[in-house]
Amino acid sequence: MKNRLWREPWLWTVTVFSLLLAVPVLLIFSSIFIPQKALWQHLIDTVLSDYVYHSLLIAFSVGALTLLVGTSLAWLVARYEFSGRGSLQWLILLPMAMPAYILAYTYTGMLDVAGPLQTHLRAFFNWTYHDYWFPDVRSVGGAILMLSLVLYPYVYMLGRTAFSEQSASFYEASRSMGVSGFAYFRKVAFPLARPAILTGTALAMMEAFADYGTVQYFGISTFTTGIFRTWNGLGNAIGAAQLAAVLTSFVLVLLLIEKHSRRRLRYFHQGQKQHSVKRLSLSPIKSFWAVVACLIPVALGFIIPCVQLIIWAVERASSQVDAQFMVLIWNSFYLAVSAALIAVGLALLFSYAKRLRSHWLLNSQVQLASLGYAIPGTVIAIGAMLMLSAADDAVNALTEALFDTSVGLIFSGTLVALLLAYSVRFLAVAMHNVEAGLQRIKPSMDDAARSMGLSSFSVLKKVHVPLLRASVLSALLLVFVDVLKELPATLILRPFNFNTLAVRTFELASEERLQDAAVPAITIVMVGLLPVILLTRALESTKHKSSSHA
C-alpha cells in the first residue's frame, strides 16, 4: 500500500509544491541557529522591549475591542428584530474593505492640527493651538482604534452565524428555569458561541500582529517595523529573519488557540429538525438605539473615511490621474491576477489530491503549505528573499563556472519573488473556497466518470472544474483583492522602479501628501468592496439554508 502511494503522481506533485511553499517559513526558523550576538545585544539594550511591549499591547487590545464590538453587534443582529436590520446586517461588514493603513492616513489628515476638524474648531471658537486639548491620533491608542475598526467584522461574522444557528430548545429550556434576558446571553448563548467568537478574535489579533503600514506611519516600534529596520537600516538579513521568527512564534501560539477553539464548532451545527430562536421585536425607542449602535462602527470604519477620501480624490484627480497612475493600475492589476491564478491553481491541485487520496502525509503537507495566511507578510517576504537569494547565488555560481558569466538576479530581483510570497500568504484563502466547492460534489460523480474510462486529471478537467466555476471565481476574486491591498511583502520584494497602488499610497502618505494619497487609496477601497459583497451573499445563503432546514 505504501509503495503504491509513493508511485502516485498526485502525491509527488503536492509534495514538491508544498515543500516549495513551506521553505520560506522554514528558513525563518532555521535562522535562529546562526549566531547574531552583537545584534541581539544591541536590540536588548535599545528597542527589543518596545517591540515586545507594543506588539503584545496592540494585538491583545485589538483582540479585546473586536471581541466587544463584534460580539455585541452579532448578538444584536441575531437576537433582535428592529427597523433597518436587514440592511445593517451587511453594512456592518463594510469596514473590511478599508485597509487599516488607509484608515490611519485618512484620520490623520482629518484630525491633525492642520486638518479640517481642528481648523474649523479654532476658527469657530477663535482658539489658538495651545488653547485646547485634542487627542493625538498618531499614538498607540490610535493604532489600536484603526485596526479594531477594520477587524471587528471577523468576530461579527463568526459570532452572528453561531448565535443564529443556536437551537430554540436551549432558549426554551432556559426560560423554563427562569433564565432570560442578559442572563441567557451570559450563561447560555455566549458559552455556546464562544469557540466561533474566539476564532474571530484570534484572526483579528493575528492581523494586528501582521500590520506594518499603520504602526510605521504612527511611529510605533513593533516587530514588523523592527524587521524592516534590521533589514534595510542595518542590512542584516539573518537578524531580520530571527526577529521574524520571534514574531511568528507569537502568531503560531494564537493559531493554536484558534485551532483549539474551532474543534468544538461542530456542536453548534444543529440538525434539520431543530428550530432557530425567534428574534425579539424591539420597541421604537430601543430600535432607534439599536440602529445607532450598528451605525457607529460602520460610520467610523467606512463611511466617514470613505467620504473624506472621495472629496480629496475629486480635488486631486486632475493632478494625480495621469500616465503614471495608469501604470500603477496596470502593475497592480496584472500582479494581482497572476498571483490569484497561481494560488487558485495550487488550491485546486491540493484540494483535489486530498479528495483522491485521504492520507495523513498528504493532509500534513497541505496543512503546512496553507500556514502562510496566519503568518505576517513581512515574515514571508524575508523568508522568500532568503530562499530566492540562495537560488540566485547557486545559479550564478553555476553559470560562472560553465560559461564564465553571471546572469544576475533572476529570482530575487524580479516579480518571481512577489508571486512566491503572495502564493504562500494567500493559498489558504483560495483553498477555503475550492475545498468548500469540492465538498458539495458527490463522490458518486467521480466514480461514474472513472467507470467511463476517464483518468483522474480528466475527471478534474471535465467534471469538477465546470461544477466549481462559482467557487473558483470567488477564490480568484478574494486573492486578487488581498494581493491588491498587501503592503509589507510588496515593499520588501518589489523589483526596482516597480510600484503598485498600495506602495504608492504608502509613499505619498509617508511624505505627508495625504490628499494626493487619496486617489490610489480610494481605488483600493472600491475594489475591496467586492469580497464584502461576496461575504454578504454567503451569509445570506447560509441564513436561507438554515431557514429552509427549520
Side-chain angles (χ1 to χ4, degrees):
M1 180 71 177
K2 290 183 178 179
N3 291 335
R4 239 171 58 200
L5 180 69
W6 281 108
R7 292 195 198 104
E8 293 184 7
W10 287 98
L11 179 64
W12 279 107
T13 307
V14 168
T15 299
V16 170
F17 281 107
S18 62
L19 288 176
L20 181 66
L21 296 178
V23 166
V25 178
L26 296 177
L27 283 176
I28 290 295
F29 282 103
S30 68
S31 69
I32 63 177
F33 299 107
I34 303 175
Q36 293 287 314
K37 292 183 180 178
L39 172 69
W40 279 98
Q41 189 61 53
H42 168 72
L43 291 174
I44 291 170
D45 293 340
T46 54
V47 293
L48 185 61
S49 60
D50 288 338
Y51 293 166
V52 175
Y53 173 71
H54 288 146
S55 296
L56 292 176
L57 176 63
I58 290 173
F60 279 94
S61 298
V62 167
L65 197 52
T66 54
L67 175 67
L68 176 64
V69 175
T71 304
S72 301
L73 293 176
W75 177 248
L76 193 60
V77 169
R79 186 73 184 91
Y80 298 101
E81 189 67 54
F82 52 90
S83 301
R85 177 191 166 279
S87 298
L88 286 168
Q89 65 181 347
W90 66 264
L91 285 173
I92 290 171
L93 294 172
L94 287 180
M96 292 189 77
M98 183 75 66
Y101 60 87
I102 291 179
L103 197 70
Y105 307 154
T106 308
Y107 271 110
T108 299
M110 290 192 294
L111 303 180
D112 255 1
V113 176
L117 181 58
Q118 291 199 54
T119 300
H120 284 94
L121 283 175
R122 290 194 297 270
F124 185 80
F125 292 103
N126 197 26
W127 288 339
T128 61
Y129 172 65
H130 297 288
D131 290 338
Y132 65 98
W133 174 86
F134 200 86
D136 185 12
V137 68
R138 297 198 198 200
S139 61
V140 173
I144 291 169
L145 181 60
M146 298 299 110
L147 288 164
S148 299
L149 283 172
V150 301
L151 294 176
Y152 77 82
Y154 283 104
V155 181
Y156 165 76
M157 282 190 300
L158 294 174
R160 175 190 155 189
T161 301
F163 287 136
S164 298
E165 291 182 351
Q166 288 177 5
S167 173
S169 60
F170 292 127
Y171 179 67
E172 292 162 1
S174 300
R175 284 192 63 185
S176 68
M177 296 166 57
V179 178
S180 59
F182 182 73
Y184 171 74
F185 169 80
R186 182 170 58 87
K187 295 181 178 180
V188 181
F190 181 77
L192 287 171
R194 185 165 51 206
I197 290 172
L198 289 180
T199 297
T201 304
L203 290 172
M205 291 175 68
M206 284 189 279
E207 290 293 333
F209 270 127
D211 177 75
Y212 172 74
T214 306
V215 293
Q216 192 280 336
Y217 183 67
F218 283 175
I220 303 169
S221 295
T222 64
F223 273 104
T224 52
T225 59
I227 291 167
F228 265 86
R229 289 170 191 163
T230 306
W231 177 274
N232 291 324
L234 301 179
N236 191 329
I238 300 301
Q242 291 177 348
L243 277 174
V246 177
L247 174 58
T248 305
S249 300
F250 289 156
V251 175
L252 289 179
V253 169
L254 279 176
L255 185 63
L256 290 174
I257 295 173
E258 186 266 338
K259 292 287 186 184
H260 177 75
S261 66
R262 203 167 56 180
R263 287 189 314 166
R264 293 181 56 196
L265 278 176
R266 62 182 180 272
Y267 295 121
F268 299 127
H269 298 304
Q270 309 301 327
Q272 293 186 0
K273 296 182 180 179
Q274 298 196 0
H275 299 268
S276 300
V277 181
K278 185 178 180 181
R279 290 190 294 271
L280 301 177
S281 296
L282 295 178
S283 65
I285 294 178
K286 290 183 178 179
S287 181
F288 169 78
W289 288 114
V291 171
V292 170
C294 292
L295 280 178
I296 286 175
V298 177
L300 293 176
F302 184 81
I303 297 173
I304 293 174
C306 195
V307 169
Q308 182 63 78
L309 283 173
I310 291 172
I311 292 172
W312 285 339
V314 170
E315 292 174 354
R316 299 303 176 96
S318 59
S319 61
Q320 290 296 307
V321 180
D322 52 17
Q324 288 186 340
F325 185 73
M326 293 299 108
V327 172
L328 284 179
I329 292 178
W330 171 246
N331 287 348
S332 303
F333 176 79
Y334 82 75
L335 188 61
V337 168
S338 301
L341 289 172
I342 293 171
V344 173
L346 289 172
L348 273 171
L349 168 67
F350 290 168
S351 301
Y352 188 57
K354 285 175 63 178
R355 184 182 178 92
L356 286 176
R357 172 74 69 178
S358 181
H359 189 270
W360 69 267
L361 179 61
L362 186 66
N363 294 338
S364 299
Q365 290 172 349
V366 173
Q367 191 170 17
L368 180 65
S370 303
L371 268 179
Y373 194 66
I375 299 174
T378 313
V379 175
I380 293 172
I382 298 294
M385 182 61 75
L386 292 175
M387 171 184 166
L388 296 179
S389 295
D392 278 334
D393 290 342
V395 170
N396 280 280
L398 181 63
T399 56
E400 285 177 359
L402 295 177
F403 309 108
D404 197 25
T405 184
S406 175
V407 295
L409 302 178
I410 60 175
F411 297 122
S412 59
T414 65
L415 292 180
V416 171
L418 272 175
L419 293 174
L420 173 62
Y422 292 150
S423 299
V424 175
R425 181 88 167 90
F426 301 119
L427 173 65
V429 178
M431 281 202 63
H432 176 77
N433 284 270
V434 173
E435 284 190 326
L438 275 175
Q439 288 171 3
R440 291 192 292 267
I441 300 175
K442 295 180 179 180
S444 58
M445 297 188 69
D446 299 49
D447 298 335
R450 289 196 192 95
S451 68
M452 298 171 65
L454 294 180
S455 64
S456 299
F457 180 77
S458 297
V459 173
L460 174 64
K461 179 181 176 182
K462 297 182 179 180
V463 178
H464 289 161
V465 170
L467 294 173
L468 288 172
R469 188 176 293 111
S471 298
V472 167
L473 288 176
S474 297
L476 285 169
L477 179 58
L478 289 171
V479 176
F480 175 88
V481 174
D482 277 339
V483 171
L484 198 68
K485 296 190 294 185
E486 174 64 30
L487 178 62
T490 312
L491 276 172
I492 292 175
L493 298 174
R494 65 193 172 114
F496 293 114
N497 298 320
F498 184 90
N499 253 3
T500 64
L501 288 169
V503 172
R504 185 57 179 160
T505 303
F506 173 81
E507 290 175 342
L508 291 171
S510 300
E511 297 169 4
E512 298 301 325
R513 296 168 59 188
L514 297 175
Q515 295 185 9
D516 290 337
V519 178
I522 196 64
T523 305
I524 295 173
V525 172
M526 291 298 103
V527 176
L529 282 174
L530 296 175
V532 174
I533 295 170
L534 276 180
L535 286 170
T536 304
R537 288 183 175 179
L539 287 173
E540 287 299 312
S541 174
T542 302
K543 184 185 74 172
H544 291 321
K545 286 179 181 177
S546 299
S547 300
S548 62
H549 287 166

